[in-house]
mmCIF file of all heavy atoms in Angstrom:
data_model
loop_
_atom_site.group_PDB
_atom_site.id
_atom_site.type_symbol
_atom_site.label_atom_id
_atom_site.label_comp_id
_atom_site.label_asym_id
_atom_site.label_seq_id
_atom_site.Cartn_x
_atom_site.Cartn_y
_atom_site.Cartn_z
ATOM 1 N N PRO A 162 -8.107 -31.021 3.780
ATOM 2 C CA PRO A 162 -8.800 -32.052 2.998
ATOM 3 C C PRO A 162 -8.973 -31.648 1.531
ATOM 4 O O PRO A 162 -8.835 -32.492 0.637
ATOM 5 C CB PRO A 162 -10.147 -32.188 3.716
ATOM 6 C CG PRO A 162 -9.868 -31.763 5.123
ATOM 7 C CD PRO A 162 -8.844 -30.684 5.014
ATOM 8 N N SER A 163 -9.291 -30.389 1.279
ATOM 9 C CA SER A 163 -9.471 -29.936 -0.105
ATOM 10 C C SER A 163 -8.172 -30.041 -0.890
ATOM 11 O O SER A 163 -8.184 -30.361 -2.090
ATOM 12 C CB SER A 163 -9.975 -28.492 -0.132
ATOM 13 O OG SER A 163 -11.252 -28.400 0.466
ATOM 14 N N THR A 164 -7.060 -29.771 -0.229
ATOM 15 C CA THR A 164 -5.760 -29.877 -0.893
ATOM 16 C C THR A 164 -5.494 -31.313 -1.317
ATOM 17 O O THR A 164 -5.018 -31.576 -2.435
ATOM 18 C CB THR A 164 -4.644 -29.395 0.040
ATOM 19 O OG1 THR A 164 -4.892 -28.028 0.404
ATOM 20 C CG2 THR A 164 -3.281 -29.483 -0.632
ATOM 21 N N GLU A 165 -5.804 -32.241 -0.441
ATOM 22 C CA GLU A 165 -5.577 -33.651 -0.748
ATOM 23 C C GLU A 165 -6.581 -34.165 -1.777
ATOM 24 O O GLU A 165 -6.218 -34.932 -2.681
ATOM 25 C CB GLU A 165 -5.651 -34.466 0.542
ATOM 26 C CG GLU A 165 -4.558 -34.075 1.551
ATOM 27 C CD GLU A 165 -4.687 -34.835 2.853
ATOM 28 O OE1 GLU A 165 -5.693 -35.558 3.022
ATOM 29 O OE2 GLU A 165 -3.794 -34.695 3.712
ATOM 30 N N ASP A 166 -7.848 -33.747 -1.663
ATOM 31 C CA ASP A 166 -8.871 -34.228 -2.596
ATOM 32 C C ASP A 166 -8.566 -33.794 -4.029
ATOM 33 O O ASP A 166 -8.767 -34.573 -4.976
ATOM 34 C CB ASP A 166 -10.250 -33.713 -2.186
ATOM 35 C CG ASP A 166 -10.751 -34.364 -0.910
ATOM 36 O OD1 ASP A 166 -10.202 -35.424 -0.538
ATOM 37 O OD2 ASP A 166 -11.680 -33.820 -0.287
ATOM 38 N N ARG A 167 -8.097 -32.571 -4.194
ATOM 39 C CA ARG A 167 -7.818 -32.059 -5.540
ATOM 40 C C ARG A 167 -6.398 -32.376 -6.006
ATOM 41 O O ARG A 167 -6.024 -32.041 -7.127
ATOM 42 C CB ARG A 167 -8.026 -30.544 -5.595
ATOM 43 C CG ARG A 167 -9.473 -30.122 -5.581
ATOM 44 C CD ARG A 167 -9.603 -28.620 -5.788
ATOM 45 N NE ARG A 167 -9.042 -28.171 -7.065
ATOM 46 C CZ ARG A 167 -9.723 -28.162 -8.207
ATOM 47 N NH1 ARG A 167 -10.972 -28.597 -8.239
ATOM 48 N NH2 ARG A 167 -9.156 -27.722 -9.326
ATOM 49 N N GLU A 168 -5.618 -33.015 -5.147
ATOM 50 C CA GLU A 168 -4.216 -33.314 -5.465
ATOM 51 C C GLU A 168 -3.496 -32.042 -5.919
ATOM 52 O O GLU A 168 -2.832 -31.999 -6.956
ATOM 53 C CB GLU A 168 -4.131 -34.396 -6.544
ATOM 54 C CG GLU A 168 -4.711 -35.724 -6.101
ATOM 55 C CD GLU A 168 -4.541 -36.807 -7.156
ATOM 56 O OE1 GLU A 168 -4.499 -36.465 -8.366
ATOM 57 O OE2 GLU A 168 -4.454 -37.984 -6.790
ATOM 58 N N ILE A 169 -3.659 -30.999 -5.111
ATOM 59 C CA ILE A 169 -3.053 -29.706 -5.434
ATOM 60 C C ILE A 169 -1.530 -29.793 -5.419
ATOM 61 O O ILE A 169 -0.848 -29.140 -6.214
ATOM 62 C CB ILE A 169 -3.556 -28.636 -4.448
ATOM 63 C CG1 ILE A 169 -5.045 -28.347 -4.709
ATOM 64 C CG2 ILE A 169 -2.741 -27.353 -4.558
ATOM 65 C CD1 ILE A 169 -5.666 -27.369 -3.745
ATOM 66 N N ILE A 170 -0.985 -30.604 -4.524
ATOM 67 C CA ILE A 170 0.464 -30.725 -4.422
ATOM 68 C C ILE A 170 0.905 -32.033 -5.073
ATOM 69 O O ILE A 170 0.380 -33.104 -4.750
ATOM 70 C CB ILE A 170 0.915 -30.685 -2.947
ATOM 71 C CG1 ILE A 170 0.513 -29.336 -2.328
ATOM 72 C CG2 ILE A 170 2.411 -30.901 -2.832
ATOM 73 C CD1 ILE A 170 0.805 -29.235 -0.860
ATOM 74 N N ARG A 171 1.847 -31.928 -5.984
ATOM 75 C CA ARG A 171 2.373 -33.100 -6.678
ATOM 76 C C ARG A 171 3.873 -33.199 -6.459
ATOM 77 O O ARG A 171 4.552 -32.188 -6.236
ATOM 78 C CB ARG A 171 2.072 -33.026 -8.174
ATOM 79 C CG ARG A 171 0.599 -33.190 -8.514
ATOM 80 C CD ARG A 171 0.383 -33.110 -10.015
ATOM 81 N NE ARG A 171 -1.002 -33.340 -10.366
ATOM 82 C CZ ARG A 171 -1.523 -34.519 -10.664
ATOM 83 N NH1 ARG A 171 -0.765 -35.606 -10.633
ATOM 84 N NH2 ARG A 171 -2.793 -34.640 -11.001
ATOM 85 N N THR A 172 4.380 -34.412 -6.517
ATOM 86 C CA THR A 172 5.804 -34.655 -6.363
ATOM 87 C C THR A 172 6.401 -34.990 -7.725
ATOM 88 O O THR A 172 5.943 -35.918 -8.402
ATOM 89 C CB THR A 172 6.070 -35.806 -5.380
ATOM 90 O OG1 THR A 172 5.513 -35.474 -4.099
ATOM 91 C CG2 THR A 172 7.564 -36.045 -5.230
ATOM 92 N N LEU A 173 7.419 -34.240 -8.116
ATOM 93 C CA LEU A 173 8.109 -34.462 -9.386
ATOM 94 C C LEU A 173 9.518 -34.957 -9.107
ATOM 95 O O LEU A 173 10.145 -34.553 -8.119
ATOM 96 C CB LEU A 173 8.171 -33.159 -10.193
ATOM 97 C CG LEU A 173 6.824 -32.505 -10.546
ATOM 98 C CD1 LEU A 173 7.068 -31.227 -11.343
ATOM 99 C CD2 LEU A 173 5.934 -33.459 -11.312
ATOM 100 N N ARG A 174 10.032 -35.808 -9.966
ATOM 101 C CA ARG A 174 11.374 -36.340 -9.818
ATOM 102 C C ARG A 174 12.170 -36.076 -11.098
ATOM 103 O O ARG A 174 11.646 -36.208 -12.202
ATOM 104 C CB ARG A 174 11.345 -37.836 -9.522
ATOM 105 C CG ARG A 174 10.658 -38.176 -8.202
ATOM 106 C CD ARG A 174 10.749 -39.645 -7.877
ATOM 107 N NE ARG A 174 10.075 -39.945 -6.628
ATOM 108 C CZ ARG A 174 10.641 -39.814 -5.431
ATOM 109 N NH1 ARG A 174 11.902 -39.405 -5.345
ATOM 110 N NH2 ARG A 174 9.972 -40.098 -4.334
ATOM 111 N N ASP A 175 13.443 -35.698 -10.899
ATOM 112 C CA ASP A 175 14.294 -35.481 -12.062
ATOM 113 C C ASP A 175 14.953 -36.794 -12.471
ATOM 114 O O ASP A 175 14.673 -37.856 -11.903
ATOM 115 C CB ASP A 175 15.334 -34.388 -11.794
ATOM 116 C CG ASP A 175 16.273 -34.748 -10.649
ATOM 117 O OD1 ASP A 175 16.388 -35.955 -10.301
ATOM 118 O OD2 ASP A 175 16.916 -33.834 -10.099
ATOM 119 N N GLU A 176 15.854 -36.726 -13.458
ATOM 120 C CA GLU A 176 16.452 -37.958 -13.979
ATOM 121 C C GLU A 176 17.363 -38.638 -12.976
ATOM 122 O O GLU A 176 17.705 -39.817 -13.133
ATOM 123 C CB GLU A 176 17.241 -37.651 -15.261
ATOM 124 C CG GLU A 176 18.464 -36.781 -15.062
ATOM 125 C CD GLU A 176 18.147 -35.302 -15.181
ATOM 126 O OE1 GLU A 176 16.988 -34.913 -14.925
ATOM 127 O OE2 GLU A 176 19.054 -34.527 -15.520
ATOM 128 N N HIS A 177 17.727 -37.925 -11.914
ATOM 129 C CA HIS A 177 18.565 -38.517 -10.861
ATOM 130 C C HIS A 177 17.742 -39.047 -9.690
ATOM 131 O O HIS A 177 18.303 -39.536 -8.712
ATOM 132 C CB HIS A 177 19.575 -37.483 -10.353
ATOM 133 C CG HIS A 177 20.451 -36.910 -11.435
ATOM 134 N ND1 HIS A 177 21.353 -37.682 -12.144
ATOM 135 C CD2 HIS A 177 20.541 -35.652 -11.934
ATOM 136 C CE1 HIS A 177 21.977 -36.913 -13.033
ATOM 137 N NE2 HIS A 177 21.505 -35.684 -12.928
ATOM 138 N N GLY A 178 16.430 -38.895 -9.771
ATOM 139 C CA GLY A 178 15.565 -39.389 -8.710
ATOM 140 C C GLY A 178 15.287 -38.390 -7.610
ATOM 141 O O GLY A 178 14.561 -38.701 -6.666
ATOM 142 N N ALA A 179 15.872 -37.194 -7.701
ATOM 143 C CA ALA A 179 15.629 -36.171 -6.680
ATOM 144 C C ALA A 179 14.179 -35.695 -6.780
ATOM 145 O O ALA A 179 13.664 -35.463 -7.874
ATOM 146 C CB ALA A 179 16.591 -35.004 -6.866
ATOM 147 N N ALA A 180 13.531 -35.564 -5.628
ATOM 148 C CA ALA A 180 12.113 -35.218 -5.591
ATOM 149 C C ALA A 180 11.921 -33.768 -5.173
ATOM 150 O O ALA A 180 12.692 -33.220 -4.371
ATOM 151 C CB ALA A 180 11.364 -36.135 -4.636
ATOM 152 N N ARG A 181 10.884 -33.166 -5.727
ATOM 153 C CA ARG A 181 10.502 -31.810 -5.326
ATOM 154 C C ARG A 181 8.988 -31.692 -5.390
ATOM 155 O O ARG A 181 8.363 -32.117 -6.357
ATOM 156 C CB ARG A 181 11.127 -30.765 -6.243
ATOM 157 C CG ARG A 181 10.797 -29.337 -5.811
ATOM 158 C CD ARG A 181 11.296 -28.311 -6.801
ATOM 159 N NE ARG A 181 10.997 -26.969 -6.341
ATOM 160 C CZ ARG A 181 11.150 -25.871 -7.064
ATOM 161 N NH1 ARG A 181 11.614 -25.972 -8.308
ATOM 162 N NH2 ARG A 181 10.849 -24.683 -6.571
ATOM 163 N N SER A 182 8.393 -31.121 -4.338
ATOM 164 C CA SER A 182 6.948 -30.903 -4.310
ATOM 165 C C SER A 182 6.622 -29.580 -4.976
ATOM 166 O O SER A 182 7.274 -28.563 -4.717
ATOM 167 C CB SER A 182 6.436 -30.902 -2.863
ATOM 168 O OG SER A 182 6.630 -32.172 -2.269
ATOM 169 N N VAL A 183 5.602 -29.589 -5.841
ATOM 170 C CA VAL A 183 5.181 -28.382 -6.544
ATOM 171 C C VAL A 183 3.664 -28.274 -6.477
ATOM 172 O O VAL A 183 2.963 -29.250 -6.192
ATOM 173 C CB VAL A 183 5.630 -28.391 -8.024
ATOM 174 C CG1 VAL A 183 7.144 -28.471 -8.126
ATOM 175 C CG2 VAL A 183 4.977 -29.544 -8.773
ATOM 176 N N ILE A 184 3.162 -27.077 -6.738
ATOM 177 C CA ILE A 184 1.722 -26.849 -6.783
ATOM 178 C C ILE A 184 1.230 -27.134 -8.198
ATOM 179 O O ILE A 184 1.759 -26.601 -9.172
ATOM 180 C CB ILE A 184 1.377 -25.413 -6.371
ATOM 181 C CG1 ILE A 184 1.807 -25.181 -4.914
ATOM 182 C CG2 ILE A 184 -0.119 -25.149 -6.519
ATOM 183 C CD1 ILE A 184 1.594 -23.771 -4.432
ATOM 184 N N ASP A 185 0.231 -27.967 -8.294
ATOM 185 C CA ASP A 185 -0.308 -28.370 -9.582
ATOM 186 C C ASP A 185 -1.050 -27.209 -10.245
ATOM 187 O O ASP A 185 -1.430 -26.227 -9.598
ATOM 188 C CB ASP A 185 -1.265 -29.548 -9.382
ATOM 189 C CG ASP A 185 -1.596 -30.256 -10.681
ATOM 190 O OD1 ASP A 185 -1.002 -29.917 -11.719
ATOM 191 O OD2 ASP A 185 -2.459 -31.145 -10.649
ATOM 192 N N SER A 186 -1.265 -27.327 -11.539
ATOM 193 C CA SER A 186 -2.076 -26.354 -12.259
ATOM 194 C C SER A 186 -3.484 -26.338 -11.671
ATOM 195 O O SER A 186 -4.045 -27.387 -11.355
ATOM 196 C CB SER A 186 -2.139 -26.726 -13.746
ATOM 197 O OG SER A 186 -3.173 -26.015 -14.394
#
Side-chain angles (χ1 to χ4, degrees):
S163 296
T164 301
E165 297 177 353
D166 290 343
R167 286 186 60 86
E168 297 183 331
I169 291 177
I170 299 175
R171 291 180 177 268
T172 300
L173 301 180
R174 297 185 181 276
D175 61 20
E176 66 270 26
H177 303 295
R181 183 186 182 189
S182 296
V183 300
I184 297 176
D185 195 6
S186 165

